[in-house]
Amino acid sequence: MVRLLGNVNNCVTFDENEKQYCVSCSYGNESSSAAKFSLHFEDLLSRLRETFNSGTTKELAWRQKQLSRLRRAMVDFQGDIMEAMEADLGRPKAEILVAEYAAVIAELDMATSQLPNWSRPERVAQPLMQQPGQSAVHRVPKGVVLIISPWNYPINLSLVPVISALAAGNCVVVK
């Protein structure tokens, strides 16, 4: 599950239980924005931990589905992404397409194709004293990951780590 925090009242969601990319996350009439953010973040973190603790993120099919949904969102919102980047950073569309958009799509495609290989146990040499046993490295997800992105290449430098974290089976919060 990926949640990309926007402002205090909104977040972009790629949650398999929700039917749309954008949802509104309002929390009553708290007086300060800090209180709203605190409630929002605590709820978000507990939901992500609950998802991770359920064990669903360990499944290869879940990881592939998350990556394919992220790719679909990138394709669906390509125009919006390019317009926003052009308006906010003043970059030409060709640079946005190559440095931001195409790099993320290429990373998604590579991660999706390599995911079965990455999730297989890797056999390693068995120490002599433990012969005739077998040893292997099993890669397991760690939990909930916070990714803090810089401003200069916001799409590339935030979503490439998201792709890696999802491929590893973690839940992600991006700031």
Side-chain angles (χ1 to χ4, degrees), residues 8-131:
V8 173
N9 295 321
N10 298 308
C11 65
V12 178
T13 303
F14 304 103
D15 184 351
E16 61 192 60
N17 298 323
E18 297 177 23
K19 302 295 184 216
Q20 51 189 323
Y21 295 118
C22 254
V23 296
S24 177
C25 302
S26 300
Y27 285 92
N29 296 325
E30 291 86 7
S31 59
S32 74
S33 62
K36 289 181 184 178
F37 180 77
S38 177
L39 286 173
H40 181 67
F41 190 74
E42 288 173 13
D43 179 50
L44 170 67
L45 192 56
S46 68
R47 288 179 64 188
L48 289 172
R49 285 184 176 150
E50 185 179 301
T51 299
F52 179 76
N53 292 334
S54 71
T56 58
T57 66
K58 291 182 180 180
E59 299 172 15
L60 186 62
W62 184 89
R63 298 177 195 190
Q64 289 174 326
K65 184 176 182 180
Q66 298 303 308
L67 292 174
S68 70
R69 293 184 78 182
L70 182 56
R71 188 180 198 292
R72 188 175 70 225
M74 287 292 296
V75 170
D76 290 349
F77 294 109
Q78 178 183 2
D80 296 333
I81 290 168
M82 293 187 64
E83 279 181 32
M85 296 282 296
E86 187 175 28
D88 289 349
L89 300 175
R91 292 207 176 121
K93 288 189 178 188
E95 180 183 353
I96 297 166
L97 188 62
V98 172
E100 296 275 354
Y101 187 79
V104 172
I105 294 295
E107 187 75 18
L108 277 164
D109 292 343
M110 189 270 302
T112 302
S113 68
Q114 292 297 316
L115 191 56
N117 296 332
W118 292 342
S119 57
R120 283 191 203 119
E122 179 184 343
R123 296 205 52 189
V124 293
Q126 181 71 18
L128 184 61
M129 296 301 291
Q130 296 175 349
Q131 294 289 337

